[in-house]
């Protein structure tokens, strides 16, 4: 497992390992790795012969009042976790390697970055698409794996890839959860013991929606109302949004459709958590 910290060295390494029938697989992360990240790495391992994982806490996707400076960073622990997964390279640049002082070029998927999480986190998705575009140019992957945990992010990246003709296949891997249903997240470590208990409310509200849909309910407003009632019983959690959108447009829908995205964001204490459910085929009666 080679550890690379400069863009030029990473470029070289990818170039040297590109060969017919040898796909380059890529998993971008911000580190503080957990089993959710590792599941993406395993998926990439299945899909590609040469696997690169990046660890980069991207400053441009954090708002001025967000947790950039306190975001957990532990490269040694991350490398240890990755060393058991038979990957080829970890790309772990410093911010100055990615953004020069006079950096001026950004990539933005218009409108989509303002919806859902974008309304609370202005500029966030512009930071994400910019860094992912840069990482794609540096790593030059054939396939990149993203988590459904950040469904809006994955859909936006898919759109960027389509709109800008990146030659990269985007694979979206399922959400990995703790045993009580909480979606794994590097930010879960901010939660106090009490908040950790409350944090399952996101998953519980999604489960309620699944049950209602399974029983044949299709009216989004009434299902969301039932989800809000679950949050009402958890005073330390405050809903940021619950939205049900068409996955291809991110536009709100009134009636549940197969493939649509039910996305939830909530503050538990001061920690903002997200979770979602994509309605599978056949779950409607
Ligand atoms: P992050 O380090 O938070 O930027 O996440 C890096 C990648 O891991 C993104 O594609 C996330 O969607 C994915 N990811 C984070 N948490 C999970 C999870 N619980 N299950 C699956 N994928 C995840």
């Amino acid at each position: 497992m080679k550890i690379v910290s400069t863009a030029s060295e990473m470029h070289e390494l990818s170039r040297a390992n590109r060969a017919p029938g040898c796909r380059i697989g890529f998993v971008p992360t911000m580190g503080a790795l957990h089993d959710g990240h590792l599941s993406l790495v395993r998926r990439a391992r299945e899909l590609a012969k040469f696997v690169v994982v990046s660890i980069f806490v991207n400053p441009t996707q954090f708002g001025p009042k967000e947790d950039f400076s306190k975001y957990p960073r532990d490269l040694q622990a991350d490398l240890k976790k990755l060393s058991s997964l038979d990957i080829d390279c970890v790309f772990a640049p410093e911010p100055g390697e990615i953004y020069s002082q006079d950096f001026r070029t950004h990539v933005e998927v218009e409108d989509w970055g303002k919806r859902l999480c974008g309304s609370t986190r202005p500029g966030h998705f512009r930071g994400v698409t910019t860094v992912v575009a840069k990482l794609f140019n540096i790593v030059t992957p054939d396939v990149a794996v993203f988590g459904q945990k950040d469904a809006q992010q994955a859909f936006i990246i898919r759109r960027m890839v389509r709109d800008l003709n990146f030659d990269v296949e985007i694979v979206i891997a399922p959400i990995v959860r703790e045993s009580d249903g909480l979606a794994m997240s590097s930010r879960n470590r901010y939660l106090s013991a009490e908040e950790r208990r409350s944090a399952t409310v996101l998953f519980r509200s999604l489960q309620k929606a699944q049950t209602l849909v399974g029983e044949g309910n299709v009216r989004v407003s009434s299902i969301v109302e039932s989800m809000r009632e679950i949050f009402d019983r958890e005073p330390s959690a405050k809903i940021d949004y619950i939205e049900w959108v068409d996955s291809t447009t991110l536009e709100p829908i009134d009636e549940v459709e197969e493939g649509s995205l039910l996305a939830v964001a909530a503050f538990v204490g001061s920690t903002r958590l997200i979770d979602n459910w994509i309605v599978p085929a056949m779950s409607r009666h």
Side-chain angles (χ1 to χ4, degrees):
M1 185 169 89
K2 213 165 156 48
I3 297 153
V4 170
S5 60
T6 66
S8 57
E9 202 187 340
M10 185 65 245
H11 226 152
E12 251 337 287
L13 194 63
S14 287
R15 202 195 308 269
N17 283 281
R18 185 173 304 289
C22 172
R23 301 225 297 168
I24 297 178
F26 180 41
V27 180
T29 80
M30 298 205 300
L33 301 179
H34 50 66
D35 285 346
H37 296 115
L38 302 185
S39 74
L40 309 190
V41 177
R42 286 193 197 94
R43 187 83 188 97
R45 178 76 286 168
E46 290 165 5
L47 296 167
K49 197 143 176 227
F50 187 80
V51 175
V52 180
V53 176
S54 66
I55 297 178
F56 180 62
V57 184
N58 173 36
T60 64
Q61 70 188 69
F62 288 81
K65 294 196 181 121
E66 291 186 346
D67 55 342
F68 175 68
S69 55
K70 76 164 185 172
Y71 197 85
R73 292 163 173 86
D74 189 346
L75 185 60
Q76 289 318 314
D78 289 344
L79 294 177
K80 197 157 168 233
K81 286 179 190 154
L82 291 172
S83 64
S84 59
L85 291 185
D86 183 31
I87 65 163
D88 301 280
C89 173
V90 176
F91 178 50
E94 291 296 328
E97 178 67 17
I98 298 296
Y99 297 107
S100 58
Q101 290 272 330
D102 57 352
F103 184 83
R104 300 192 62 77
T105 309
H106 294 89
V107 179
E108 184 165 14
V109 176
E110 284 176 4
D111 300 331
W112 281 26
K114 299 196 175 84
R115 309 233 171 101
L116 307 172
C117 288
S119 61
T120 314
R121 308 189 69 190
H124 167 69
F125 288 108
R126 180 190 196 237
V128 169
T129 38
T130 299
V131 81
V132 171
K134 284 171 71 66
L135 291 168
F136 282 179
N137 283 332
I138 294 167
V139 176
T140 62
D142 298 286
V143 55
V145 186
F146 291 85
Q148 187 198 314
K149 160 79 185 349
D150 299 270
Q152 183 180 9
Q153 166 177 283
F155 294 158
I156 285 179
I157 286 164
R158 257 201 182 143
R159 176 50 78 92
M160 174 189 83
V161 161
R162 195 203 75 177
D163 287 354
L164 296 183
N165 301 87
F166 279 95
D167 191 14
V168 184
E169 180 193 350
I170 303 298
V171 170
I172 302 178
I175 302 173
V176 176
R177 300 179 178 283
E178 303 289 354
S179 54
D180 61 3
L182 177 67
M184 289 187 185
S185 163
S186 308
R187 290 189 169 97
N188 289 349
R189 65 181 77 187
Y190 298 154
L191 301 168
S192 69
E194 185 54 41
E195 289 166 350
R196 173 64 188 78
R197 275 191 290 278
S198 305
T200 56
V201 66
L202 284 84
F203 178 64
R204 286 185 277 120
S205 74
L206 291 168
Q207 272 189 316
K208 178 74 187 173
Q210 287 182 42
T211 305
L212 291 171
V213 171
E215 289 167 359
N217 294 285
V218 292
R219 261 193 48 232
V220 164
S221 58
S222 71
I223 300 173
V224 169
E225 197 42 51
S226 303
M227 295 171 73
R228 287 184 182 279
E229 282 165 16
I230 291 177
F231 273 91
D232 288 344
R233 295 198 283 274
E234 204 64 72
S236 61
K238 194 174 139 283
I239 297 171
D240 182 19
Y241 69 78
I242 300 178
E243 286 202 49
W244 215 316
V245 297
D246 183 300
S247 301
T248 57
T249 61
L250 297 190
E251 293 284 354
I253 55 172
D254 297 326
E255 285 214 347
V256 178
E257 294 163 8
E258 283 175 11
S260 58
L261 169 70
L262 170 58
V264 182
F267 288 93
V268 180
S270 57
T271 305
R272 188 172 175 282
L273 301 176
I274 57 173
D275 202 345
N276 68 77
W277 178 51
I278 295 179
V279 181
M282 307 306 293
S283 65
R284 282 178 64 171
H285 286 183

